[in-house]
Amino acid sequence: MAFSFLLHGSLERLVEILVVTIIFTSIPSQVMSDASKHRYQKGDLVPLYANTVGRFGNPSETYAYYSLPFCQPDPLIQKKLSIGEVLNGDRLASAPYKLDFLKESDLQVVCMKNLTREEVSLLQTAIAQDYYWEMYYDDLPLWGFIGYIGREGREAPKEYRYSIHTHTQFEILYNGEHVIGINAVSSRVAGLANDKEVDLKFSYDVVWRETNITFEKRMDKYIISEHLPYNIRIHQFGITNSSWTVLILFCCLVVLYVRVLKRDIYKYASEEESANDQEETGWKILHADVFRFPKYKSLFSAAIGSGTHLFIMAMSILALGFLGIFHPYDRGVLKTSLIITYAITSGVSGFTAVSFYHQLEGTDWMRNVFLTGCLFCGPLFLTFCFLNAIATAYGFTAALPVGAIIMIFLMWMFLASPLLLVGAILGKTINWQFQAPCQSSNCSREIPGLRWYRGALPQMALAGFLPFSAIYIVLYDIFASVWGYRVFNLYGILCIVFVFVIMETALVSVGLTYLQLAAEDHQWWWRSFLCGGSTGLYVFGYCFYYYFQWSDMRGLVQTSFFFGYMACSCCGIFLMLGEE
């Protein structure tokens, strides 16, 4: 008892030190780019771009800034975007405000705007749905609401009054030659009457304030919530729980195998047992069937290859994040890295799939290569086509323009596909032989009737629960970052959780495979893959919980986007963990 208590306390203390260390050592230097590109002298033009407008409750539903009747600069210049920025839904264009470095302004008029009835109705709809705007000033994000709804009239019935902000004060922080922060405070409202034209005057002023915050730390305020003591304790609890789960699973497997081996050694070493007593039972009678090749071996090899490819890609992205490559509000860097890493590592899937397919004595390796390339990309491409058509019809910034689609297609055609084929040829050339310790019989052994809890679905439900419990706490942060406003930067914690998920998946799969063989069921290939990948089904189930419990997303477009892309992501998780 005392040893158990000391072990428990030591493990918790070790986890606490590990979590705190990783959190604070994995905070990267928050420099958006080379510092020399962010140095200004008094009066220098600092780039300000208007990006998008959208619903506050639906972060992924965004439109171009000038889709609403705002003041436009002359000339209106569209910023050239990277593929990652386009995938991120950015549509940067020059803003009508002039915020020169260290130059204060008092009540500068942007424009006089005469709004038609249609434009008034459009703005009223945007205000009613809590629309906000987003801009970038020297790569620093800033936001503001378009307006608000109030009540007017003391006597019933009270009517709604739509008010739009017509004046914005920019408060900018600086340190030496660098811009450190910016805040936008909206004031001076004007009413929008129903079915009436209105004349508005939009204006702004600029205030500069000095600060002692360094340029390298200017992005810390966007990720400070991730490093609060409350969040640290949550992640510490999750890692401690996963540590004990892995330890218990490992001890259970060790005890199980020790007992089985000890019993077998005692049985075969006994010289007093008769020949009848030497009759084999359980998994030992399956020596002529346990290495029988699985059904649909081409599909099975393709799934193994795709899963290995996604596993290598995930490890690469986590390593880049842990090294500080991804910074908060680095527009599109993560998505660009995902595409490039997937394309570069495509040879892994071709090599793994074809080499394993040849070990299973497959002959049509070209068909296997095609199946490997389409197993994950095929459903993702079809989902993208459907959702991109919806986004284009509604005018979302999530809709990819033709140029971006062509660029991705060319990258897949001239980088991913050739590397896939090169890996496949290499896997075919090596021509590894399947190393089975015993030969399979001509006729497969009949599988005895099994109880319901030994079926595929009950075992998948059991196999996916424990790995899912290791990532349950981190899932909210990830979902809130991808589909919300939260900034996720704890890649060190995510690396630890990922390792625990891999370990728990492997241990559970080994244990369930042994139980299946002990029940004289020799068809373990597909069962092991399905049990390993069942964590992806749990993650997809969590999608429903997050969508209805935590998010404010509603409507056909948001529902289709969320569940469409999350279904593809969970399919990738299924393939990645299944091959473990």
Side-chain angles (χ1 to χ4, degrees):
M1 179 66 72
F3 175 76
S4 177
F5 175 78
L6 291 175
L7 178 62
H8 178 74
S10 300
L11 183 59
E12 285 192 345
R13 180 59 180 168
L14 179 62
V15 169
E16 180 180 358
I17 295 175
L18 182 63
V19 170
V20 175
T21 303
I22 287 181
I23 283 178
F24 288 100
T25 56
S26 63
I27 301 177
S29 175
Q30 306 301 330
V31 181
M32 302 297 293
S33 59
D34 187 4
S36 63
K37 298 181 180 179
H38 293 269
R39 296 181 182 273
Y40 306 98
Q41 301 297 324
K42 185 175 181 179
D44 288 349
L45 177 65
V46 183
L48 173 65
Y49 295 104
N51 191 18
T52 57
V53 294
R55 294 184 184 182
F56 182 75
N58 292 340
S60 57
E61 181 183 344
T62 56
Y63 307 87
Y65 179 83
Y66 293 110
S67 62
L68 293 179
F70 293 135
C71 297
Q72 297 187 14
D74 187 21
L76 178 62
I77 302 174
Q78 300 287 341
K79 184 178 183 297
K80 186 176 180 180
L81 303 177
S82 66
I83 184 64
E85 290 175 320
V86 175
L87 290 172
N88 203 42
D90 293 328
R91 298 295 184 269
L92 298 175
S94 56
Y97 308 103
K98 188 177 181 181
L99 310 180
D100 295 338
F101 190 70
L102 294 181
K103 186 177 181 179
E104 296 192 348
S105 302
D106 295 329
L107 195 61
Q108 297 292 318
V109 177
V110 182
C111 71
M112 302 293 295
K113 193 79 173 179
N114 177 261
L115 300 179
T116 64
R117 295 180 178 179
E118 292 77 11
E119 291 175 335
V120 169
S121 177
L122 184 62
L123 286 173
Q124 287 179 338
T125 302
I127 293 172
Q129 297 178 354
D130 291 329
Y131 268 54
Y132 70 97
W133 51 261
E134 181 184 55
M135 296 185 183
Y136 281 91
Y137 182 69
D138 192 38
D139 285 336
L140 291 171
L142 64 153
W143 306 271
F145 282 100
I146 296 175
Y148 64 90
I149 300 178
R151 294 266 190 161
E152 63 179 7
R154 295 184 177 180
E155 299 179 359
K158 296 181 180 180
E159 295 182 355
Y160 289 106
R161 183 176 185 272
Y162 294 87
S163 300
I164 184 174
H165 296 294
T166 58
H167 181 81
T168 303
Q169 182 184 69
F170 295 98
E171 182 180 345
I172 308 175
L173 304 178
Y174 74 97
N175 185 345
E177 300 175 323
H178 297 291
V179 176
I180 302 302
I182 182 171
N183 295 315
V185 180
S186 299
S187 59
R188 296 185 190 176
V189 297
L192 298 176
N194 292 326
D195 299 329
K196 292 183 181 179
E197 296 183 357
V198 62
D199 294 323
L200 299 178
K201 181 176 73 171
F202 292 91
S203 60
Y204 71 100
D205 56 54
V206 185
V207 177
W208 287 85
R209 303 188 187 280
E210 190 173 6
T211 180
N212 57 2
I213 300 175
T214 62
F215 179 76
E216 289 76 14
K217 300 295 183 182
R218 68 174 186 165
M219 298 299 294
D220 284 357
K221 67 176 183 178
Y222 299 105
I223 62 173
I224 191 171
S225 62
E226 291 287 332
H227 309 287
L228 294 175
Y230 175 74
N231 286 328
I232 292 177
R233 287 195 298 268
I234 291 178
H235 293 297
Q236 174 190 340
F237 170 78
I239 292 177
T240 304
N241 179 62
S242 301
S243 302
W244 281 107
T245 302
V246 171
L247 182 61
I248 292 173
L249 284 173
F250 180 76
C251 292
C252 289
L253 287 178
V254 169
V255 171
L256 178 64
Y257 290 147
V258 167
R259 290 188 61 185
V260 171
L261 292 176
K262 182 179 179 181
R263 184 177 58 193
D264 289 344
I265 293 173
Y266 176 79
K267 178 179 178 181
Y268 288 109
S270 176
E271 299 179 353
E272 298 178 356
E273 293 178 324
S274 61
N276 293 331
D277 294 332
Q278 297 285 346
E279 183 180 355
E280 296 179 339
T281 58
W283 60 271
K284 294 179 288 297
I285 66 175
L286 299 178
H287 62 274
D289 296 282
V290 70
F291 294 106
R292 191 180 303 278
F293 294 153
K295 297 180 179 179
Y296 313 109
K297 53 188 177 183
S298 181
L299 178 60
F300 187 78
S301 302
I304 295 296
S306 298
T308 306
H309 178 199
L310 294 174
F311 175 76
I312 297 298
M313 184 191 72
M315 290 293 293
S316 303
I317 294 297
L318 288 176
L320 292 175
F322 185 74
L323 294 175
I325 303 300
F326 310 127
H327 305 296
Y329 296 104
D330 262 355
R331 295 184 301 272
V333 174
L334 176 59
K335 294 182 179 179
T336 302
S337 301
L338 281 171
I339 294 177
I340 295 176
T341 305
Y342 183 87
I344 293 177
T345 56
S346 294
V348 175
S349 59
F351 175 80
T352 306
V354 172
S355 61
F356 191 76
Y357 182 61
H358 269 280
Q359 291 184 55
L360 300 182
E361 299 180 0
T363 56
D364 194 356
W365 68 277
M366 286 298 297
R367 177 174 176 269
N368 182 249
V369 173
F370 178 78
L371 187 59
T372 303
C374 296
L375 190 61
F376 178 72
C377 289
L380 180 62
F381 175 73
L382 295 177
T383 303
F384 163 76
C385 292
F386 174 72
L387 297 180
N388 198 66
I390 294 179
T392 303
Y394 281 85
F396 286 3
T397 58
L400 295 189
V402 178
I405 297 176
I406 293 176
M407 185 178 299
I408 295 176
F409 176 76
L410 293 177
M411 187 178 299
W412 180 82
M413 178 66 68
F414 294 104
L415 181 60
S417 296
L419 290 177
L420 175 68
L421 186 59
V422 169
I425 294 174
L426 184 61
K428 177 178 179 294
T429 304
I430 294 178
N431 196 19
W432 284 332
Q433 299 296 325
F434 187 75
Q435 301 295 330
C438 53
Q439 295 183 351
S440 299
S441 60
N442 294 329
C443 298
S444 62
R445 182 183 178 85
E446 183 179 356
I447 301 174
L450 303 176
R451 295 184 179 273
W452 64 270
Y453 55 82
R454 291 187 180 273
L457 292 180
Q459 288 196 357
M460 289 175 62
L462 176 62
F465 177 76
L466 290 177
F468 175 75
S469 65
I471 61 173
Y472 173 76
I473 296 178
V474 185
L475 277 182
Y476 174 79
D477 294 333
I478 297 176
F479 275 60
S481 173
V482 176
W483 300 102
Y485 301 101
R486 193 162 185 170
V487 178
F488 186 84
N489 202 48
L490 300 178
Y491 289 99
I493 297 296
L494 193 58
C495 288
I496 295 178
V497 172
F498 185 75
V499 171
F500 279 130
V501 170
I502 298 300
M503 293 175 63
E504 292 184 12
T505 302
L507 291 173
V508 171
S509 297
V510 169
L512 290 179
T513 300
Y514 168 77
L515 294 177
Q516 181 182 359
L517 295 177
E520 302 181 12
D521 184 358
H522 57 82
Q523 297 179 353
W524 60 275
W525 296 85
W526 276 108
R527 180 74 63 84
S528 177
F529 184 87
L530 295 176
C531 288
S534 59
T535 305
L537 301 180
Y538 274 89
V539 176
F540 190 67
Y542 180 84
C543 294
F544 290 89
Y545 171 74
Y546 178 85
Y547 183 84
F548 293 106
Q549 182 67 25
W550 294 106
S551 74
D552 294 325
M553 295 183 287
R554 296 293 182 269
L556 173 64
V557 179
Q558 286 296 310
T559 302
S560 58
F561 260 75
F562 180 80
F563 288 105
Y565 283 124
M566 286 311 303
C568 293
S569 301
C570 293
C571 177
I573 295 174
F574 189 94
L575 292 172
M576 180 178 62
L577 296 181
E579 62 89 21
E580 297 299 329

